[in-house]
Amino acid sequence: MANAFLFFLLLIFSSNITFENIHACNQSERSSLLSFALTLSSPQLNWTSADCCNWEGITCNQGGWITHLQLPSKGLKLKEGIFLSSSLGNLTHLTHLNLSHNSLYGSLDQTEFFLSMNDLEILDLSNNLLFGVLPSSQPFSHIQMVDLSNNRLHGAVSSSFFQEAWNLTSFNVSNNTFSGPIPSSICHPSSSSLRHLDFSFNKFNGSISSGLGKCSKLQVFRAGYNYLSGSLPEDIFNSTTLEEISLLRNSLYGAVSDRISNLNNLTTLDLSYNQLSGVLPLHLGKLSKLKHILLDFNHLEGSFPFSLMNCTNLVELRMGANNLGGDISMLNFSKLSQLSKLDLRQNNFFGILPRSLYSCKFLKAIRVAYNNIEIKIEPEIRSLKSLSFLSLGMNKRLTNIKESMRILMGCKRLAVLSLASSFLGEEMPNSVEMADFNGFQNLLILDLNSCNLSGIIPSWLSKLKKLLVLDLNNNRITGSIPSWLGTLPRLQTLMMEFNQLSGEFPKELCTLPMVVSGQTAAQVGRIYLELPIYYSPGAHAKLLQYNYIFYTPFIHLGHNCLSGNIPIEIGQLQLLHQLDLSANNFSGNIPDQISNLKYIEVLDLSMNDLSGKIPASFTGLNFLSRFNVSYNNLGGPIPSSTQLQSFNASAFEGNLKLCGAPLPNKCETTTGVDTPDISTQDVDTKKHQIPWFYISVALGFITGFWGVCGPLVLMRKWRYVYYHFLDNVQDRFHVMIAKRMASMKRRFG
Ligand SMILES: *[C@@H]1O[C@H](CO)[C@@H](O)[C@H](O)[C@H]1NC(C)=O
Ligand SMILES: *[C@@H]1O[C@H](CO)[C@@H](O)[C@H](O)[C@H]1NC(C)=O
Ligand SMILES: *[C@@H]1O[C@H](CO)[C@@H](O)[C@H](O)[C@H]1NC(C)=O
Ligand SMILES: *[C@@H]1O[C@H](CO)[C@@H](O)[C@H](O)[C@H]1NC(C)=O
Ligand SMILES: *[C@@H]1O[C@H](CO)[C@@H](O)[C@H](O)[C@H]1NC(C)=O
Ligand SMILES: *[C@@H]1O[C@H](CO)[C@@H](O)[C@H](O)[C@H]1NC(C)=O
Ligand SMILES: *[C@@H]1O[C@H](CO)[C@@H](O)[C@H](O)[C@H]1NC(C)=O
Ligand SMILES: *[C@@H]1O[C@H](CO)[C@@H](O)[C@H](O)[C@H]1NC(C)=O
Ligand SMILES: *[C@@H]1O[C@H](CO)[C@@H](O)[C@H](O)[C@H]1NC(C)=O
Ligand SMILES: *[C@@H]1O[C@H](CO)[C@@H](O)[C@H](O)[C@H]1NC(C)=O
Ligand SMILES: *[C@@H]1O[C@H](CO)[C@@H](O)[C@H](O)[C@H]1NC(C)=O
Ligand SMILES: *[C@@H]1O[C@H](CO)[C@@H](O)[C@H](O)[C@H]1NC(C)=O
């Protein structure tokens, strides 16, 4: 028995040796590998034994030729000043080369690199630091997969690169800087086996010429995030095997052809952020496998294709920011049992929001803001157990805030609630009315912007322990700012501009944990949202899109009736990015401590009764991009810094004793410039002069006042940023203003 066992062991041992002998690697290949290893600074590869076929990452064939070199995610780094070695080009029998997810640096246009890799089938160099251009032609007749994604390659992708690539199934060059046209002739007339094409995140330009229709097996075509223009190539609709078309973020124009309904297997259609126009194909809904249809931010018009309501597999339906219209009550959602995200924001839908929407049990996000839809919040909405994003504002006739809030409190997952411009003129539900309050425990963003709500800031808000953003801009809220706001553990964005708040700036607000401590802010981190939110940094700036709540430590309290001193404790809010206290009645000096706010980008203290000097320490505020202290009682020289002098004189005007650049009046250098004393009369003649209705709406700048207690001054260009945190839509802005002005005319006659 023991002998038999020994014999068995011997057998294995000897057979192993024979095996190794057969595989003994070719010495010249061994030296090619070694010279590659020599170029690496880290890590040390354990490539020491005689037979290179046993080395890590190496596989040989029967003849001892190296066929596989696979060292993905090994942290490979080249020595300083050394490029990716061309020695690998000598491995003439290589079929699999996978060096993805390393830090390899170098250019591929050293033609030697691929020189003799005639047998290559799999080439994966993705996620490295490769640059240079692709060789225009390669003898890659056996190649099946090319992944060069996430590098820094540039230049054109020449069609001749694929000339002999009969068996290519997948080609991925996403996230490089390739330019020129998409090589549409990549598809060979006879033998194309291409299934996956990914050109996204490059600089490809020009129109997509025809040719892709010849790829008779194409399943995925991605070329999003490029500079492609022209219309969708007609012949792509001949590729009936297509399952995904993603061409988002280009400049494609023209209509979506009716022939798209040929693509029976299509599951994903993403054409968002282009300039597509025209009416959507009536029979789009023939695409019965559709799961994701994203057409946001185009110029599509006409009626919504009702046939889509037959696509029972739909998960995501996003058509926001178009000119689509129609009676939304005609849509019957009851077949869309998989629907998770619905975004029809900023279109021309009207009619009553259909109840059938509540039958989509998996809905996580609903956004229909900026339409003319008649909304009523029905108790059935509570049956949407996953609902976390709800944006219904800027529509018609949403009334009864108390009842609405009571219902919505039952949506336990709700994280984003936007009801802007609703409940016009109602009263903020007070804490008695919200007595059995146990809802909104997951609320992150509460947006009641432009609701013209009266009442005070209710204490039930103090129970929203996860609240990050509170947007109550443009209401008629009275009373003082409660000190408990400063204790909300996650509050980072407080928007209460254009209200009638009075009293002082509470010292306690200076202890907001998220703004005081970077550690707290970091702990909260980025929070993913089911739908993106938009933010425009300026009136004419491009709309930015965020799929998460970004860190916006802002306090906007402008255009209220706040008074007293700006507390010196303000210096504790050291992470604050924006502070707007404009158009209030703040008096006293500007606290020196504001210069502790090292990251401050927007500081607006204009139109108050502040006196004294502009603190010299303001010269240390390096991130200021908007600054305004105009129309106060400030005096003395404007401190000199590259930052402060870069603003227009308008940022300082209306302070009679203020002097120095950029104001035209020079400072008297002889007498030590002292804090000037300006009589309040001066101030009064300067302010309170121009009745609100002269304020020009036509200028397109925000001009509304709900209250009459803040100093009324002709609004100037600095006041152009209308801030609606969640759905910042600049071009709808004038509609809002017009509405508001009309309502004020009624109120003030
Ligand atoms: C080793 O490879 C070289 C070419 O790289 C070839 O000339 C030589 O014949 C090979 N040796 C053996 C033993 O196969
Ligand atoms: C690769 O092959 C070329 C010639 O074919 C030779 O000059 C070069 O030295 C080889 N490189 C290595 C590292 O073996
Ligand atoms: C290096 O590889 C050999 C076999 O090829 C092995 O015996 C040895 O333990 C390895 N050394 C290290 C440090 O991994
Ligand atoms: C390369 O290796 C990585 C890591 O194992 C793997 O995920 C990837 O699929 C490989 N590439 C190819 C083209 O097979
Ligand atoms: C292409 O693939 C087929 C099937 O796998 C194979 O028979 C043929 O040899 C391959 N052609 C080339 C040029 O590699
Ligand atoms: C593109 O690659 C860079 C690294 O080169 C990476 O940081 C970035 O996230 C990638 N972008 C995308 C969209 O994958
Ligand atoms: C291409 O590569 C990128 C990054 O590696 C990856 O995210 C993407 O899914 C790939 N495309 C296809 C079609 O597989
Ligand atoms: C594509 O971009 C290049 C420069 O990046 C330019 O020379 C060329 O004219 C552009 N092509 C088209 C069709 O716009
Ligand atoms: C698409 O297919 C139709 C037939 O189904 C054919 O008549 C037409 O020429 C094809 N279009 C292109 C551009 O290949
Ligand atoms: C569509 O997909 C099904 C199932 O995946 C497949 O059997 C069928 O061949 C595909 N049709 C086309 C035209 O590719
Ligand atoms: C939806 O499908 C049904 C049956 O399959 C069909 O009768 C109806 O016309 C379709 N509706 C639309 C709007 O296409
Ligand atoms: C919606 O369609 C379902 C069947 O799919 C039907 O039972 C229901 O009555 C329809 N609802 C409306 C409002 O048409």
Side-chain angles (χ1 to χ4, degrees), residues 383-432:
S383 64
L384 305 178
K385 299 285 183 227
S386 310
L387 191 65
S388 92
F389 191 115
L390 184 64
S391 168
L392 304 174
M394 307 284 174
N395 274 297
K396 264 167 86 173
R397 277 191 222 157
L398 176 49
T399 57
N400 200 343
I401 188 170
K402 280 163 210 160
E403 187 55 22
S404 301
M405 289 302 205
R406 226 194 298 275
I407 293 172
L408 290 171
M409 277 191 305
C411 298
K412 301 290 181 204
R413 292 270 179 88
L414 212 54
V416 176
L417 178 58
S418 175
L419 299 169
S421 193
S422 306
F423 317 114
L424 292 178
E426 295 185 22
E427 193 178 340
M428 177 70 94
N430 61 39
S431 291
V432 176

Short mmCIF file of all heavy atoms in Angstrom, two decimals, residues 383-432:
data_model
loop_
_atom_site.label_atom_id
_atom_site.label_comp_id
_atom_site.label_asym_id
_atom_site.label_seq_id
_atom_site.Cartn_x
_atom_site.Cartn_y
_atom_site.Cartn_z
N SER A 383 -48.20 54.53 -1.14
CA SER A 383 -47.97 53.14 -1.53
C SER A 383 -46.65 53.01 -2.30
O SER A 383 -46.20 51.90 -2.57
CB SER A 383 -49.14 52.63 -2.37
OG SER A 383 -49.21 53.36 -3.57
N LEU A 384 -46.04 54.14 -2.66
CA LEU A 384 -44.73 54.07 -3.33
C LEU A 384 -43.66 53.98 -2.25
O LEU A 384 -43.09 54.97 -1.82
CB LEU A 384 -44.54 55.31 -4.21
CG LEU A 384 -45.64 55.56 -5.25
CD1 LEU A 384 -45.37 56.83 -6.03
CD2 LEU A 384 -45.79 54.38 -6.18
N LYS A 385 -43.40 52.78 -1.83
CA LYS A 385 -42.55 52.58 -0.65
C LYS A 385 -41.10 52.98 -0.88
O LYS A 385 -40.36 53.21 0.06
CB LYS A 385 -42.59 51.10 -0.22
CG LYS A 385 -43.95 50.62 0.17
CD LYS A 385 -44.36 51.13 1.54
CE LYS A 385 -45.71 50.58 1.97
NZ LYS A 385 -46.60 51.63 2.49
N SER A 386 -40.68 53.04 -2.15
CA SER A 386 -39.28 53.37 -2.42
C SER A 386 -39.08 54.83 -2.79
O SER A 386 -37.96 55.23 -3.08
CB SER A 386 -38.74 52.51 -3.56
OG SER A 386 -39.03 51.17 -3.35
N LEU A 387 -40.17 55.58 -2.82
CA LEU A 387 -40.07 56.95 -3.32
C LEU A 387 -39.07 57.77 -2.51
O LEU A 387 -39.22 57.92 -1.30
CB LEU A 387 -41.44 57.62 -3.28
CG LEU A 387 -41.53 58.96 -4.02
CD1 LEU A 387 -41.32 58.78 -5.50
CD2 LEU A 387 -42.87 59.64 -3.73
N SER A 388 -38.05 58.28 -3.16
CA SER A 388 -37.09 59.09 -2.42
C SER A 388 -36.89 60.47 -3.04
O SER A 388 -36.36 61.36 -2.41
CB SER A 388 -35.75 58.35 -2.29
OG SER A 388 -34.89 58.66 -3.33
N PHE A 389 -37.31 60.64 -4.29
CA PHE A 389 -37.10 61.92 -4.96
C PHE A 389 -38.44 62.37 -5.53
O PHE A 389 -38.99 61.69 -6.38
CB PHE A 389 -36.06 61.73 -6.08
CG PHE A 389 -35.54 63.00 -6.70
CD1 PHE A 389 -34.20 63.34 -6.57
CD2 PHE A 389 -36.36 63.83 -7.43
CE1 PHE A 389 -33.70 64.50 -7.14
CE2 PHE A 389 -35.88 64.99 -8.00
CZ PHE A 389 -34.54 65.32 -7.86
N LEU A 390 -38.93 63.49 -5.03
CA LEU A 390 -40.23 63.96 -5.50
C LEU A 390 -40.14 65.45 -5.80
O LEU A 390 -39.90 66.27 -4.91
CB LEU A 390 -41.31 63.71 -4.44
CG LEU A 390 -42.74 64.08 -4.83
CD1 LEU A 390 -43.23 63.23 -5.98
CD2 LEU A 390 -43.67 63.94 -3.63
N SER A 391 -40.29 65.80 -7.05
CA SER A 391 -40.22 67.20 -7.44
C SER A 391 -41.44 67.53 -8.29
O SER A 391 -41.58 67.06 -9.42
CB SER A 391 -38.92 67.46 -8.22
OG SER A 391 -38.96 68.72 -8.82
N LEU A 392 -42.35 68.30 -7.70
CA LEU A 392 -43.63 68.57 -8.34
C LEU A 392 -43.86 70.06 -8.55
O LEU A 392 -44.89 70.47 -9.06
CB LEU A 392 -44.77 68.03 -7.47
CG LEU A 392 -44.74 66.56 -7.08
CD1 LEU A 392 -45.87 66.25 -6.10
CD2 LEU A 392 -44.86 65.67 -8.31
N GLY A 393 -42.90 70.87 -8.12
CA GLY A 393 -43.12 72.31 -8.09
C GLY A 393 -43.26 72.95 -9.45
O GLY A 393 -43.16 72.30 -10.49
N MET A 394 -43.51 74.24 -9.44
CA MET A 394 -43.64 75.03 -10.66
C MET A 394 -44.68 74.42 -11.59
O MET A 394 -44.47 74.25 -12.78
CB MET A 394 -42.29 75.13 -11.39
CG MET A 394 -41.16 75.61 -10.54
SD MET A 394 -41.25 77.38 -10.27
CE MET A 394 -39.91 77.58 -9.11
N ASN A 395 -45.80 74.03 -11.03
CA ASN A 395 -46.92 73.54 -11.81
C ASN A 395 -48.16 74.32 -11.39
O ASN A 395 -48.03 75.41 -10.84
CB ASN A 395 -47.09 72.03 -11.60
CG ASN A 395 -46.23 71.23 -12.55
OD1 ASN A 395 -46.41 71.32 -13.75
ND2 ASN A 395 -45.28 70.48 -12.02
N LYS A 396 -49.32 73.75 -11.61
CA LYS A 396 -50.54 74.48 -11.34
C LYS A 396 -51.29 73.91 -10.15
O LYS A 396 -51.34 72.70 -9.97
CB LYS A 396 -51.46 74.37 -12.57
CG LYS A 396 -51.35 75.56 -13.49
CD LYS A 396 -52.01 75.26 -14.80
CE LYS A 396 -53.49 75.55 -14.79
NZ LYS A 396 -54.04 75.38 -16.16
N ARG A 397 -51.88 74.82 -9.41
CA ARG A 397 -52.94 74.46 -8.48
C ARG A 397 -52.60 73.45 -7.41
O ARG A 397 -53.46 72.70 -6.99
CB ARG A 397 -54.14 73.91 -9.26
CG ARG A 397 -54.98 75.04 -9.77
CD ARG A 397 -56.27 74.54 -10.31
NE ARG A 397 -56.53 75.28 -11.52
CZ ARG A 397 -57.29 74.87 -12.51
NH1 ARG A 397 -57.85 73.70 -12.45
NH2 ARG A 397 -57.47 75.62 -13.56
N LEU A 398 -51.37 73.35 -7.04
CA LEU A 398 -51.10 72.50 -5.88
C LEU A 398 -51.42 73.34 -4.65
O LEU A 398 -50.76 74.34 -4.39
CB LEU A 398 -49.65 72.02 -5.90
CG LEU A 398 -49.18 71.19 -4.71
CD1 LEU A 398 -50.16 70.07 -4.41
CD2 LEU A 398 -47.82 70.62 -4.96
N THR A 399 -52.44 72.93 -3.92
CA THR A 399 -52.87 73.72 -2.75
C THR A 399 -52.92 72.81 -1.52
O THR A 399 -52.73 71.61 -1.62
CB THR A 399 -54.27 74.33 -2.96
OG1 THR A 399 -55.17 73.27 -3.23
CG2 THR A 399 -54.28 75.31 -4.11
N ASN A 400 -53.20 73.42 -0.41
CA ASN A 400 -53.37 72.76 0.89
C ASN A 400 -52.06 72.15 1.39
O ASN A 400 -51.87 70.93 1.40
CB ASN A 400 -54.47 71.70 0.82
CG ASN A 400 -54.97 71.37 2.21
OD1 ASN A 400 -54.28 71.69 3.21
ND2 ASN A 400 -56.12 70.74 2.30
N ILE A 401 -51.20 73.01 1.82
CA ILE A 401 -49.88 72.57 2.27
C ILE A 401 -49.99 71.65 3.49
O ILE A 401 -49.24 70.67 3.59
CB ILE A 401 -48.95 73.78 2.54
CG1 ILE A 401 -47.53 73.30 2.82
CG2 ILE A 401 -49.47 74.67 3.66
CD1 ILE A 401 -46.50 74.39 2.86
N LYS A 402 -50.95 71.92 4.36
CA LYS A 402 -51.03 71.10 5.58
C LYS A 402 -51.35 69.65 5.24
O LYS A 402 -50.66 68.73 5.67
CB LYS A 402 -52.11 71.65 6.52
CG LYS A 402 -51.62 72.83 7.31
CD LYS A 402 -52.75 73.63 7.91
CE LYS A 402 -52.31 75.09 8.02
NZ LYS A 402 -53.44 76.01 8.15
N GLU A 403 -52.39 69.49 4.43
CA GLU A 403 -52.80 68.15 4.06
C GLU A 403 -51.68 67.47 3.24
O GLU A 403 -51.34 66.31 3.46
CB GLU A 403 -54.11 68.23 3.27
CG GLU A 403 -54.75 66.89 2.94
CD GLU A 403 -54.99 66.03 4.16
OE1 GLU A 403 -55.06 66.57 5.28
OE2 GLU A 403 -55.08 64.79 4.00
N SER A 404 -51.10 68.22 2.33
CA SER A 404 -50.05 67.65 1.48
C SER A 404 -48.88 67.15 2.32
O SER A 404 -48.38 66.05 2.11
CB SER A 404 -49.55 68.71 0.49
OG SER A 404 -50.60 69.16 -0.31
N MET A 405 -48.48 67.97 3.26
CA MET A 405 -47.35 67.58 4.10
C MET A 405 -47.70 66.35 4.95
O MET A 405 -46.88 65.47 5.13
CB MET A 405 -46.94 68.73 5.03
CG MET A 405 -46.28 69.86 4.30
SD MET A 405 -44.81 69.30 3.42
CE MET A 405 -43.90 70.79 3.33
N ARG A 406 -48.90 66.35 5.44
CA ARG A 406 -49.32 65.21 6.27
C ARG A 406 -49.26 63.91 5.47
O ARG A 406 -48.80 62.89 5.97
CB ARG A 406 -50.75 65.44 6.78
CG ARG A 406 -50.90 65.13 8.26
CD ARG A 406 -52.34 65.02 8.66
NE ARG A 406 -53.10 66.25 8.45
CZ ARG A 406 -53.13 67.25 9.34
NH1 ARG A 406 -52.47 67.16 10.47
NH2 ARG A 406 -53.84 68.33 9.10
N ILE A 407 -49.70 63.99 4.22
CA ILE A 407 -49.64 62.79 3.38
C ILE A 407 -48.20 62.41 3.10
O ILE A 407 -47.79 61.26 3.25
CB ILE A 407 -50.40 63.03 2.05
CG1 ILE A 407 -51.90 63.19 2.32
CG2 ILE A 407 -50.15 61.87 1.07
CD1 ILE A 407 -52.70 63.62 1.10
N LEU A 408 -47.43 63.40 2.73
CA LEU A 408 -46.05 63.11 2.33
C LEU A 408 -45.19 62.57 3.47
O LEU A 408 -44.23 61.83 3.25
CB LEU A 408 -45.40 64.36 1.72
CG LEU A 408 -45.98 64.74 0.35
CD1 LEU A 408 -45.46 66.10 -0.09
CD2 LEU A 408 -45.63 63.68 -0.69
N MET A 409 -45.57 62.95 4.69
CA MET A 409 -44.83 62.42 5.84
C MET A 409 -44.86 60.90 5.88
O MET A 409 -44.01 60.27 6.46
CB MET A 409 -45.41 62.97 7.14
CG MET A 409 -44.86 64.33 7.48
SD MET A 409 -45.28 64.82 9.15
CE MET A 409 -47.03 64.67 9.19
N GLY A 410 -45.89 60.34 5.22
CA GLY A 410 -46.00 58.89 5.16
C GLY A 410 -45.03 58.24 4.19
O GLY A 410 -44.91 57.02 4.15
N CYS A 411 -44.36 59.05 3.37
CA CYS A 411 -43.36 58.50 2.45
C CYS A 411 -42.04 58.44 3.18
O CYS A 411 -41.27 59.41 3.20
CB CYS A 411 -43.25 59.38 1.20
SG CYS A 411 -44.76 59.49 0.26
N LYS A 412 -41.79 57.30 3.79
CA LYS A 412 -40.68 57.21 4.75
C LYS A 412 -39.30 57.38 4.14
O LYS A 412 -38.35 57.74 4.81
CB LYS A 412 -40.74 55.87 5.50
CG LYS A 412 -42.03 55.64 6.25
CD LYS A 412 -42.15 56.56 7.46
CE LYS A 412 -43.43 56.29 8.22
NZ LYS A 412 -43.88 57.44 9.01
N ARG A 413 -39.19 57.04 2.85
CA ARG A 413 -37.86 57.11 2.23
C ARG A 413 -37.53 58.48 1.65
O ARG A 413 -36.43 58.68 1.12
CB ARG A 413 -37.79 56.10 1.08
CG ARG A 413 -37.84 54.66 1.51
CD ARG A 413 -36.41 54.15 1.75
NE ARG A 413 -36.43 52.78 2.18
CZ ARG A 413 -36.42 51.74 1.37
NH1 ARG A 413 -36.38 51.93 0.07
NH2 ARG A 413 -36.43 50.51 1.84
N LEU A 414 -38.51 59.37 1.68
CA LEU A 414 -38.35 60.62 0.95
C LEU A 414 -37.08 61.37 1.36
O LEU A 414 -36.85 61.67 2.52
CB LEU A 414 -39.57 61.51 1.21
CG LEU A 414 -39.98 62.44 0.08
CD1 LEU A 414 -40.19 61.69 -1.22
CD2 LEU A 414 -41.24 63.19 0.46
N ALA A 415 -36.23 61.63 0.37
CA ALA A 415 -34.98 62.34 0.63
C ALA A 415 -35.00 63.74 0.01
O ALA A 415 -34.41 64.66 0.55
CB ALA A 415 -33.80 61.55 0.06
N VAL A 416 -35.65 63.85 -1.12
CA VAL A 416 -35.72 65.14 -1.80
C VAL A 416 -37.18 65.49 -2.00
O VAL A 416 -37.92 64.72 -2.60
CB VAL A 416 -35.01 65.08 -3.17
CG1 VAL A 416 -35.16 66.38 -3.92
CG2 VAL A 416 -33.54 64.72 -3.00
N LEU A 417 -37.59 66.64 -1.49
CA LEU A 417 -38.96 67.08 -1.67
C LEU A 417 -38.94 68.51 -2.19
O LEU A 417 -38.51 69.43 -1.50
CB LEU A 417 -39.72 67.01 -0.34
CG LEU A 417 -41.17 67.50 -0.39
CD1 LEU A 417 -41.98 66.72 -1.41
CD2 LEU A 417 -41.81 67.42 0.98
N SER A 418 -39.37 68.67 -3.43
CA SER A 418 -39.39 70.00 -4.01
C SER A 418 -40.80 70.35 -4.43
O SER A 418 -41.40 69.69 -5.27
CB SER A 418 -38.46 70.05 -5.22
OG SER A 418 -38.59 71.32 -5.83
N LEU A 419 -41.33 71.38 -3.80
CA LEU A 419 -42.69 71.82 -4.08
C LEU A 419 -42.68 73.32 -4.36
O LEU A 419 -43.60 74.05 -3.99
CB LEU A 419 -43.59 71.50 -2.88
CG LEU A 419 -43.69 70.01 -2.54
CD1 LEU A 419 -44.37 69.79 -1.20
CD2 LEU A 419 -44.42 69.24 -3.63
N ALA A 420 -41.63 73.78 -4.99
CA ALA A 420 -41.47 75.21 -5.23
C ALA A 420 -42.66 75.78 -5.97
O ALA A 420 -43.28 75.11 -6.79
CB ALA A 420 -40.20 75.44 -6.04
N SER A 421 -42.95 77.02 -5.64
CA SER A 421 -44.02 77.76 -6.31
C SER A 421 -45.37 77.04 -6.21
O SER A 421 -46.13 76.99 -7.17
CB SER A 421 -43.65 78.00 -7.78
OG SER A 421 -44.50 78.94 -8.34
N SER A 422 -45.63 76.44 -5.08
CA SER A 422 -46.92 75.79 -4.85
C SER A 422 -47.59 76.48 -3.64
O SER A 422 -46.98 77.33 -3.02
CB SER A 422 -46.71 74.31 -4.53
OG SER A 422 -45.96 73.70 -5.54
N PHE A 423 -48.78 76.08 -3.34
CA PHE A 423 -49.49 76.54 -2.14
C PHE A 423 -49.51 78.06 -2.02
O PHE A 423 -49.44 78.61 -0.92
CB PHE A 423 -48.86 75.97 -0.87
CG PHE A 423 -48.48 74.52 -0.95
CD1 PHE A 423 -47.15 74.12 -0.90
CD2 PHE A 423 -49.46 73.55 -1.10
CE1 PHE A 423 -46.80 72.78 -0.97
CE2 PHE A 423 -49.11 72.20 -1.18
CZ PHE A 423 -47.78 71.82 -1.11
N LEU A 424 -49.57 78.76 -3.14
CA LEU A 424 -49.33 80.20 -3.13
C LEU A 424 -50.18 80.92 -2.09
O LEU A 424 -51.41 80.81 -2.09
CB LEU A 424 -49.57 80.79 -4.51
CG LEU A 424 -48.53 80.34 -5.55
CD1 LEU A 424 -48.84 80.92 -6.91
CD2 LEU A 424 -47.12 80.68 -5.11
N GLY A 425 -49.51 81.63 -1.21
CA GLY A 425 -50.19 82.48 -0.25
C GLY A 425 -50.69 81.76 0.99
O GLY A 425 -51.26 82.37 1.87
N GLU A 426 -50.47 80.46 1.09
CA GLU A 426 -50.93 79.74 2.28
C GLU A 426 -49.99 80.00 3.45
O GLU A 426 -48.98 80.68 3.31
CB GLU A 426 -51.02 78.24 1.98
CG GLU A 426 -52.06 77.91 0.93
CD GLU A 426 -52.22 76.41 0.73
OE1 GLU A 426 -51.87 75.63 1.64
OE2 GLU A 426 -52.69 76.01 -0.35
N GLU A 427 -50.35 79.41 4.59
CA GLU A 427 -49.53 79.61 5.78
C GLU A 427 -48.68 78.37 6.03
O GLU A 427 -49.16 77.25 5.89
CB GLU A 427 -50.43 79.88 6.98
CG GLU A 427 -49.67 80.41 8.16
CD GLU A 427 -50.58 80.73 9.33
OE1 GLU A 427 -51.81 80.91 9.12
OE2 GLU A 427 -50.06 80.78 10.46
N MET A 428 -47.46 78.60 6.37
CA MET A 428 -46.56 77.50 6.72
C MET A 428 -47.21 76.71 7.85
O MET A 428 -47.59 77.29 8.87
CB MET A 428 -45.23 78.09 7.19
CG MET A 428 -44.22 77.09 7.65
SD MET A 428 -43.57 76.09 6.32
CE MET A 428 -42.11 76.99 5.90
N PRO A 429 -47.38 75.40 7.71
CA PRO A 429 -48.02 74.65 8.79
C PRO A 429 -47.19 74.76 10.06
O PRO A 429 -45.97 74.59 10.02
CB PRO A 429 -48.04 73.21 8.28
CG PRO A 429 -47.29 73.19 7.01
CD PRO A 429 -46.96 74.57 6.60
N ASN A 430 -47.86 75.09 11.14
CA ASN A 430 -47.10 75.28 12.37
C ASN A 430 -46.98 73.96 13.12
O ASN A 430 -47.49 72.94 12.69
CB ASN A 430 -47.72 76.37 13.23
CG ASN A 430 -49.13 76.01 13.64
OD1 ASN A 430 -49.40 74.84 13.95
ND2 ASN A 430 -50.03 76.97 13.62
N SER A 431 -46.34 74.03 14.24
CA SER A 431 -45.98 72.79 14.91
C SER A 431 -47.18 72.09 15.53
O SER A 431 -47.17 70.89 15.69
CB SER A 431 -44.89 73.04 15.94
OG SER A 431 -43.72 73.35 15.22
N VAL A 432 -48.20 72.85 15.85
CA VAL A 432 -49.41 72.20 16.38
C VAL A 432 -50.04 71.37 15.27
O VAL A 432 -50.44 70.23 15.47
CB VAL A 432 -50.40 73.26 16.91
CG1 VAL A 432 -51.69 72.60 17.38
CG2 VAL A 432 -49.75 74.06 18.02
#
